[in-house]
Amino acid sequence: MNPRRLLVGLVAVCHHRARLVVLVGLLLAVFAGWYSAGHLGVTTDTDQMFSASLPWRQRAIALHKEFPQFQDLLAVVIDADEPEVADATAAALADTLAADHTHFKSVRRPDASPFLSREGLLFLDTKQLEALMNRTIDAQPFLGQLAADPSARGLFAALALLGVGVQKDQADLGPYLPTLKSFHQSMVKALDGHPQPLSWSRLLGGGVADLAGKYRFVLVQPKLDYGSLEPGGAATNAIRAAAAGLDFVKSGEARVRITGSVALSDEEFATVAEGAVAGMIGSVLLITLWLFLAVRTWRLIVPILLTLGLGLMLTLLFAATAIGTLNLVSVGFGILFVGIAVDFAIQFSVRYRNIRLHWPDMAEALPETGRRVGAQIAVAAATTAAGFLAFVPTDFAGVAELGLIAGIGMLIAFACTLTFLPAAITLFRPHAEAAEVGFRWAAPFDPMLRHRRGAVLAVFAALALLGAALLPRLTFDPDPLHTKNPNTEAVRTLYDLMASPLTNPFTIDVLVPDPAQAKVLAGKLAKLPLVAQTLSIDSFIPDDQKAKLALIADANSILSATLTPHEPAAPVTPDQVRLAAKTAYDQIVPALDKLPADHILANLAADLKRVSEASDQVVIGLDRALTRFLPVQLEALRTALGAQPVTLKDVPPEIARDWLLPDGRARVQAVPKAAAQSPAGLREFVAEVRAVAPDAGGSAVTIEATSNTIVNAFRTAAIAALVAITIILFIALRHVLDVALVLAPLLLSGLLTVVVIVSASLPLNYANIIALPLLLGVGVSFNIYFVMNWRAGDTVVLGSATARAILFSALTTGTAFGSLALSPHPGTASMGTLLLISLGCTLLASLVFIPSLLAAVPPPRNP
């Protein structure tokens, strides 16, 4: 049977059975909505967006399986001006979260192991350790007084001893100057009513206290709810509630932030969803406006909207049955469906209006519309579906799902346009037209373009050549952070961590058979230009232990008696502190005659005088600020001075499990330098490491491999789509010239898009690259309508009803894409922007290039 007759007959039947068709359509829409609501889910698990058969995915899956403690993490990052404040906050938060078994599977502090507290001095450079031990020994008299009385009273007694020593010329204040300056600053703040805890780790350890960096971590594995839009949302809220109750957080002295894979995914989905409802409402209102301008009557607008609604519900039904769970990419099919499928309904309706001018009887006009337009819409739907379905065989599973849903959705939209829409038009009975539907104002441009076709084609040829020349400058940004909202807490925190090699998360992991080979590989990797440091189980076995242990033992023999804990004294009273301050003042003042006028002891003397006259409240605050962390630091010093030799078997299981597997295999980690933070730098970092360790995995490898997978997937999809579209066009049009006339503006619009995005410095990324293959489907639809009209003998282009339909179809599609461009999510916004650019270039090629091109070729022989 002739396909055109089949389409005509289908439209005629739907016209005569309009009530039944509309009723069945509405019932199907209700059923599809009900079924989809109960069977269609959404997952934010980004691991499901790529095929598990990919080699890099297999390595990532293996690492996830072997080291599950690193997966699905919420990383709580604590920082404060003083290390002890950050430590105390992290410890209190970890204790609170560990007791919450409702929200958390595990809670740990990787930087607070008792092993590191005991053996930490052994990890210092020998020269650093020697300087630290000498500094500590020099402070022995001071430490003795503080160990006996760790309060402001004891501190002031120690200061009095310094005054006596200066008077007798028995004290060298040089080593004490930084400490005395810190005392002065802390006392001034407390006396002024702004007490802040004094950092004794910095006083006693100097710069060693900051070697671990400014951040403290609590790593949490939350219980995730993948049925929720934010699977880690409940756990994140629990962390925030716990942190809000901590003393240093309430006072503003400590800051608690949350990042990690779970937080990043949750915030990304929240950002994508932000404003989505308002954007959708705005899109619907604008689309309704364009529809009114296109068809001029609500009697056609309502059927178009009902047709779109039915098509969307049936596509949801297909997604629910064929896919079941949408991912972060395929969840966006709705906007793409509406933006593209509305073209079919507009084409049918606008052309129907034009045909009613010559066939006033609806019973004749609808089948005639089916005869003239049905085949064109069928070809457009088939080619658009081919553009989407080309994604299905790729390894980018996220877009493969989107391609399958949207591709079938295009066929569903075609079916609804040729069945439900004619039936709905029949029931709403729009009036016949009294004048031509095409753009009368645009009709004069047709002869103008025909007359100047040579110049127009030359300009487009030059632009096409420019686009071809700019193709090598088309860049792809593989950094997933650049598609995320940079203003969210998780992303800002991650950028802060990336600034330091100590906390850079973009690392590379390699599994080797045993610790011995891990040590060898770590040595090789450490020599690479872009590797800042390497870590392995061997990193927890200090080198040069004999010399270091001797230094520690010497210091311990001198200090052990001094640091021996005393029986806890009775709580100090404000009067005792004031008395101790006055005593110290009396001892220091005579010593000032032997010191320069601006010596720090003069400032301290003034501070002590103020203390002796201060109120109880101020004195209590000062005592707490000066000595809050003193007992903790003294105990830490006692523990560290008891360091013992460390071998592999001494590394505690909670640390060893991060680097050794039960079967003996060992993990080696390479940390990048700052130069590897750029896309090119990261690519070079991965290449360097993989040249030494081809089986490397980890976040840096995953980012680079993901980039290659996506680019390859889209390249494959674009080629497959172009081939499929060409085949469909040959089958439908049956003329090589007609196929060329459709493909030429399609390729031109692609090259024009390249010119615009390169000129605007808009790189391709994970999100917006989807616009390029979609360009094939959308562009070919517009071109088909004009070329098939030309083949049928219609030489009027810009003044035709087809041009009117194409313009308003582009406006409705652009509105849907524009809602994406206004998204606060950078990835979504870049996708909307590129879609708008592609659509604009497609419209330019269709409305300017095609009329000129058709005027330059001989007229068809079989009109």
Side-chain angles (χ1 to χ4, degrees):
M1 185 177 182
N2 187 306
R4 195 180 297 269
R5 287 186 180 179
L6 180 63
L7 295 176
V8 172
L10 182 63
V11 173
V13 169
C14 292
H15 166 68
H16 292 298
R17 299 285 188 271
R19 286 185 174 84
L20 177 62
V21 172
V22 170
L23 178 61
V24 171
L26 294 177
L27 290 176
L28 278 175
V30 172
F31 170 77
W34 168 79
Y35 184 87
S36 300
H39 295 81
L40 185 62
V42 178
T43 179
T44 55
D45 185 359
T46 55
D47 286 342
Q48 305 304 315
M49 291 175 59
F50 296 92
S51 171
S53 63
L54 291 165
W56 65 268
R57 278 283 291 133
Q58 291 178 344
R59 289 195 295 271
I61 291 170
L63 282 171
H64 291 183
K65 180 180 178 181
E66 301 293 1
F67 298 98
Q69 65 269 36
F70 298 136
Q71 310 313 314
D72 297 329
L73 286 178
L74 283 170
V76 186
V77 183
I78 302 98
D79 64 282
D81 289 337
E82 309 300 343
E84 292 94 335
V85 173
D87 283 326
T89 303
L93 181 60
D95 290 343
T96 302
L97 300 183
D100 184 353
H101 301 293
T102 301
H103 297 103
F104 308 110
K105 294 187 290 186
S106 69
V107 178
R108 64 190 184 116
R109 291 187 60 204
D111 48 11
S113 167
F115 168 79
L116 297 176
S117 300
R118 185 180 66 251
E119 311 293 352
L121 293 177
L122 292 175
F123 292 95
L124 295 175
D125 178 83
T126 303
K127 291 184 178 179
Q128 284 180 317
L129 177 61
E130 184 176 10
L132 177 61
M133 291 298 94
N134 290 336
R135 176 190 179 97
T136 307
I137 292 170
D138 288 340
Q140 182 186 18
F142 220 78
L143 292 173
Q145 186 64 49
L146 294 174
D149 184 4
S151 68
R153 178 182 58 195
L155 174 60
F156 295 159
L159 291 176
L161 290 177
L162 283 180
V164 173
V166 172
Q167 292 180 52
K168 296 181 179 182
D169 295 323
Q170 295 177 350
D172 177 13
L173 296 183
Y176 297 102
L177 291 179
T179 301
L180 295 176
K181 184 177 179 181
S182 296
F183 288 158
H184 165 62
Q185 292 171 342
S186 185
M187 290 173 69
V188 169
K189 289 178 182 177
L191 289 167
D192 290 342
H194 308 289
Q196 292 183 1
L198 183 64
S199 174
W200 283 91
S201 64
R202 284 193 176 127
L203 290 180
L204 298 178
V208 172
D210 295 315
L211 289 178
K214 63 181 293 187
Y215 301 112
R216 302 296 183 267
F217 297 91
V218 178
L219 299 184
V220 176
Q221 281 191 316
K223 294 182 178 178
L224 300 177
D225 177 13
Y226 282 115
S228 169
L229 295 182
E230 297 180 34
T236 300
N237 292 335
I239 294 173
R240 296 195 192 284
L246 301 178
D247 291 342
F248 289 122
V249 175
K250 289 191 290 186
S251 68
E253 295 172 82
R255 179 174 58 164
V256 175
R257 295 179 292 171
I258 303 172
T259 186
S261 59
V262 174
L264 289 167
S265 295
D266 285 352
E267 286 188 353
E268 179 165 29
F269 201 86
T271 304
V272 171
E274 181 182 345
V277 174
M280 182 64 75
I281 293 173
S283 295
V284 170
L285 292 176
L286 275 177
I287 287 173
T288 303
L289 172 63
W290 303 137
L291 289 177
F292 174 77
L293 294 175
V295 297
R296 296 290 185 178
T297 174
W298 67 270
R299 295 177 183 273
L300 283 174
I301 293 174
V302 174
I304 290 173
L305 293 178
L306 289 175
T307 302
L308 281 178
L310 173 61
L312 184 59
M313 289 299 102
L314 293 178
T315 305
L316 278 172
L317 177 63
F318 170 78
T321 54
I323 304 297
T325 302
L326 302 177
N327 57 57
L328 287 172
V329 174
S330 59
V331 73
F333 83 91
I335 290 179
L336 299 179
F337 174 89
V338 172
I340 299 174
V342 71
D343 172 63
F344 304 156
I346 289 178
Q347 282 292 336
F348 188 95
S349 300
V350 172
R351 301 284 284 279
Y352 164 77
R353 286 184 60 204
N354 194 56
I355 289 172
R356 279 294 297 273
L357 184 66
H358 307 287
W359 278 269
D361 186 355
M362 180 186 293
E364 296 178 349
L366 278 172
E368 180 64 19
T369 304
R371 186 185 72 81
R372 295 193 180 189
V373 185
Q376 296 180 6
I377 296 177
V379 177
T383 52
T384 305
F388 282 114
L389 293 173
F391 288 107
V392 175
T394 67
D395 293 320
F396 191 4
V399 177
E401 288 182 8
L402 174 65
L404 179 62
I405 297 171
I408 299 301
M410 293 300 99
L411 302 181
I412 292 173
F414 164 71
C416 292
T417 301
L418 270 295
T419 56
F420 184 85
L421 182 58
I425 290 174
T426 300
L427 295 184
F428 282 87
R429 306 189 66 80
H431 303 298
E433 300 295 326
E436 289 287 343
V437 174
F439 290 129
R440 281 181 292 180
W441 58 267
F445 289 99
D446 278 322
M448 185 182 73
L449 287 176
R450 284 196 292 269
H451 179 67
R452 301 184 177 179
R453 61 184 180 273
V456 172
L457 293 176
V459 170
F460 279 114
L463 290 173
L465 291 174
L466 177 61
L470 291 176
L471 271 174
R473 298 181 61 183
L474 197 62
T475 59
F476 181 82
D477 183 359
D479 191 340
L481 291 182
H482 292 169
T483 64
K484 301 180 186 296
N485 187 343
N487 299 316
T488 64
E489 179 182 271
V491 175
R492 290 199 312 269
T493 305
L494 190 59
Y495 275 122
D496 287 346
L497 297 179
M498 289 170 58
S500 169
L502 293 175
T503 52
N504 192 320
F506 292 157
T507 56
I508 295 180
D509 294 315
V510 186
L511 277 179
V512 294
D514 54 59
Q517 294 190 47
K519 184 176 182 179
V520 173
L521 178 60
K524 292 180 180 178
L525 296 179
K527 298 176 183 178
L528 297 176
L530 288 175
V531 173
Q533 63 175 335
T534 57
L535 299 172
S536 68
I537 188 64
D538 195 62
S539 303
F540 296 90
I541 304 174
D543 56 7
D544 199 16
Q545 291 191 44
K546 185 176 180 180
K548 293 176 182 178
L549 286 169
L551 290 171
I552 295 172
D554 287 344
N556 190 41
S557 65
I558 298 171
L559 297 170
S560 59
T562 303
L563 294 173
T564 300
H566 293 71
E567 289 294 326
V572 68
T573 65
D575 287 338
Q576 291 171 337
V577 174
R578 280 190 287 262
L579 178 60
K582 184 178 184 307
T583 302
Y585 174 80
D586 292 341
Q587 296 292 345
I588 290 175
V589 169
L592 296 180
D593 294 336
K594 297 187 176 184
L595 299 172
D598 60 350
H599 197 277
I600 190 63
L601 268 186
N603 295 328
L604 280 172
D607 298 336
L608 290 167
K609 183 173 179 58
R610 291 180 63 188
V611 174
S612 66
E613 300 169 352
S615 66
D616 287 358
Q617 182 178 358
V618 170
V619 170
I620 292 172
L622 179 140
D623 175 65
R624 184 168 176 78
L626 289 177
T627 62
R628 177 167 185 172
F629 295 120
L630 176 58
V632 174
Q633 188 57 34
L634 290 174
E635 182 58 33
L637 181 57
R638 295 185 194 103
T639 300
L641 289 175
Q644 298 294 320
V646 177
T647 62
L648 182 59
K649 64 181 181 61
D650 297 313
V651 180
E654 65 269 18
I655 292 179
R657 183 60 185 86
D658 289 347
W659 302 96
L660 286 178
L661 294 175
D663 61 8
R665 285 180 295 164
R667 180 170 72 100
V668 179
Q669 185 174 83
V671 181
K673 292 181 179 178
Q677 290 187 15
S678 66
L682 187 67
R683 183 165 54 251
E684 183 62 26
F685 169 61
V686 172
E688 285 182 1
V689 174
R690 293 199 65 195
V692 178
D695 293 331
S699 58
V701 173
T702 296
I703 289 172
E704 188 61 25
T706 297
S707 168
N708 294 333
T709 300
I710 292 176
V711 171
N712 290 336
F714 278 91
R715 183 186 298 114
T716 301
I719 294 173
L722 188 59
V723 171
I725 288 171
T726 303
I727 293 173
I728 292 171
L729 291 176
F730 269 115
I731 294 173
L733 304 180
R734 295 177 296 177
H735 294 88
V736 174
L737 177 60
D738 293 16
V739 173
L741 290 174
V742 172
L743 292 180
L746 182 65
L747 297 177
L748 173 65
S749 59
L751 292 173
L752 291 178
T753 302
V754 171
V755 172
V756 175
I757 62 178
V758 171
S759 301
S761 299
L762 178 66
L764 300 178
N765 56 45
Y766 296 116
N768 66 24
I769 195 173
I770 193 175
L772 300 183
L774 289 182
L775 170 66
L776 298 175
V778 177
V780 76
S781 299
F782 292 172
N783 304 339
I784 283 171
Y785 301 137
F786 282 138
V787 172
M788 292 185 76
N789 285 350
W790 172 81
R791 174 58 64 181
D794 188 355
T795 58
V796 177
V797 181
L798 297 181
S800 67
T802 301
R804 180 189 188 92
I806 284 176
L807 178 61
F808 285 107
S809 174
L811 288 173
T812 53
T813 302
T815 299
F817 293 163
S819 67
L820 298 177
L822 296 176
S823 170
H825 182 261
T828 303
S830 69
M831 178 171 68
T833 301
L834 189 51
L835 286 169
L836 284 175
I837 291 172
S838 299
L839 182 63
C841 294
T842 298
L843 198 60
L844 181 64
S846 297
L847 297 182
V848 180
F849 177 72
I850 284 184
S852 303
L853 183 63
L854 293 178
V857 298
R861 297 178 182 176
N862 51 337

